[in-house]
Amino acid sequence: MKKWKYLTMTAVMGSALMLGACGSDSAQNGNNAETNAPASSGQEAADEKLQGSVAGDGSSTVAPIIEAVVEEYAGAQPDVKVSVGVSGTGGGFEKFIAGETDFSNASRNIKDEEKSKLEEAGIDFTELALAYDGLSVVVNPENDWAKDLTVEQLQKIWVEDGKEKKWSDIDPSWPDEKIVYYSPGTDSGTYDYFDEVILDGADLVSSATLSEDDNMLVQGVAGDKNAIGFFGYAYYLENKDKLNIVKVNGVEPTNETIEGGEYTPLSRPLFTYVKNSAMKDNEAAYDFIQFTLENAGDMAEAVGYVRLPEEKYTEGLKTLEGLK
């Protein structure tokens, strides 16, 4: 397996791969990532290559892993067209429910209402874990005060209370400057997870800039001394020269603290959900998901996430085989 370094949301090396990190509006316009490499010629094994198409959508947090997998898969199966949109976890599930995709990437567990809609649509599905992520809170490099925040302080910062908040409201020794917020959009599984473990169902501050495009969040925080934001760990690593990471309850997100469960409550698994009928009837879709599980650990590490224990991938492959 070649070494693969993820370049955030850009087309890279080899095959014709395009991944659009898009918000809800662009998601509706169908921006997606595709591989459609030409068939190889002059090879005796050409007849053994698969043909067909596979469609997915979903989480921008999971996107770096899937982009890396798609890039590798194009070399293994050049005649299979793989398209992967990035409309957020919620947006991806909407397309999954509508029957538009074979798999849906998610940075949270599927919700009960999404399960119900899939049942109504007659779509059976299976959840497959891919990697671990540590949702990362970041500030501008000039911010030398908010280095370590408690969950209670994060709640005070991010929960809407009808007032304009300043850093000095959180700690009197901090600057008397208005806090500037950057958050994933409401279609994002990262938003949902933050809502669950930090906001506890309360409203996020209304002044926050929301975007499904994590690069926009990075640029926003990097451009304002008083800004704070959050997104997946891989995006912090890709931009750590522009941002400062914030410890939560004294623990910094690292591969070790995320995998070991010390970075709590912001550690989480990342998933893909597959349509059972596609795994049974679409040989290309089955092969791509099998390839994904076989390589997810390496790809997760390559792009800055944390691989699962090997037995988890083995379990996933056995589950997938049972769908055939």
Side-chain angles (χ1 to χ4, degrees):
M1 173 100 36
K2 69 187 176 200
K3 288 189 177 180
W4 197 95
K5 176 173 174 57
Y6 175 65
L7 301 178
T8 308
M9 310 312 290
T10 60
V12 293
M13 304 183 300
S15 69
L17 174 64
M18 177 182 71
L19 183 56
C22 54
S24 56
D25 291 340
S26 58
Q28 291 171 0
N29 291 331
N31 290 3
N32 58 32
E34 295 192 357
T35 64
N36 193 11
S40 56
S41 59
Q43 298 180 5
E44 292 181 0
D47 292 340
E48 299 175 9
K49 295 291 185 183
L50 288 177
Q51 294 187 351
S53 61
V54 188
D57 206 292
S59 168
S60 64
T61 302
V62 181
I65 299 172
I66 297 301
E67 179 177 325
V69 171
V70 169
E71 173 66 23
E72 292 290 341
Y73 188 72
Q77 294 291 357
D79 297 334
V80 176
K81 178 182 177 182
V82 182
S83 62
V84 187
V86 188
S87 55
T89 297
F93 277 131
E94 288 176 6
K95 293 187 177 183
F96 198 53
I97 292 163
E100 299 174 17
T101 54
D102 302 303
F103 66 94
S104 195
N105 302 318
S107 57
R108 59 161 170 79
N109 292 105
I110 190 168
K111 296 179 179 179
D112 288 341
E113 58 262 38
E114 291 162 339
K115 290 181 182 179
S116 296
K117 289 179 180 179
L118 283 164
E119 186 176 353
E120 290 172 9
I123 297 173
D124 293 325
F125 66 90
T126 298
E127 176 189 278
L128 299 169
L130 298 178
Y132 294 126
D133 177 32
L135 194 155
S136 299
V137 179
V138 297
V139 293
N140 185 277
E142 293 185 54
N143 182 328
D144 59 2
W145 57 91
K147 297 179 180 180
D148 188 347
L149 297 172
T150 65
V151 169
E152 291 73 20
Q153 285 175 315
L154 285 171
Q155 289 171 338
K156 193 171 182 180
I157 290 169
W158 284 98
V159 170
E160 176 61 50
D161 63 3
K163 302 175 184 176
E164 181 180 273
K165 300 183 187 183
K166 297 181 178 180
W167 285 108
S168 56
D169 295 329
I170 312 305
D171 186 315
S173 67
W174 291 354
D176 188 32
E177 299 284 348
K178 185 174 71 171
I179 303 173
V180 179
Y181 303 89
Y182 289 90
S183 164
T186 55
D187 268 343
S188 167
T190 302
Y191 178 100
D192 289 334
Y193 191 79
F194 194 80
D195 177 55
E196 178 184 341
V197 301
I198 299 297
L199 305 181
D200 197 23
D203 290 335
L204 188 84
V205 285
S206 59
S207 61
T209 297
L210 305 180
S211 177
E212 253 73 47
D213 184 348
D214 293 309
N215 295 303
M216 179 178 175
L217 306 180
V218 169
Q219 293 165 13
V221 176
D224 194 315
K225 180 179 179 179
N226 290 300
I228 187 170
F230 62 92
F231 37 73
Y233 183 56
Y235 287 96
Y236 162 68
L237 289 182
E238 193 66 29
N239 296 278
K240 61 183 180 180
D241 57 329
K242 306 173 187 175
L243 305 165
N244 279 354
I245 195 78
V246 176
K247 293 180 180 179
V248 177
N249 289 337
V251 180
E252 180 178 335
T254 64
N255 279 30
E256 293 72 27
T257 61
I258 293 168
E259 183 176 5
E262 298 170 53
Y263 184 63
T264 182
L266 293 178
S267 294
R268 57 178 177 165
L270 304 176
F271 306 99
T272 193
Y273 287 79
V274 299
K275 185 192 296 184
N276 292 358
S277 61
M279 298 303 100
K280 182 179 180 180
D281 301 332
N282 183 342
E283 187 177 1
Y286 180 92
D287 190 69
F288 175 73
I289 296 301
Q290 181 181 43
F291 187 91
T292 298
L293 292 175
E294 290 171 343
N295 295 279
D298 289 341
M299 295 297 95
E301 288 187 341
V303 303
Y305 293 124
V306 180
R307 70 189 305 136
L308 302 173
E310 204 57 42
E311 57 266 25
K312 294 291 185 182
Y313 296 116
T314 301
E315 289 173 10
L317 285 165
K318 288 180 179 177
T319 298
L320 180 66
E321 187 177 5
L323 300 178
K324 241 182 168 183

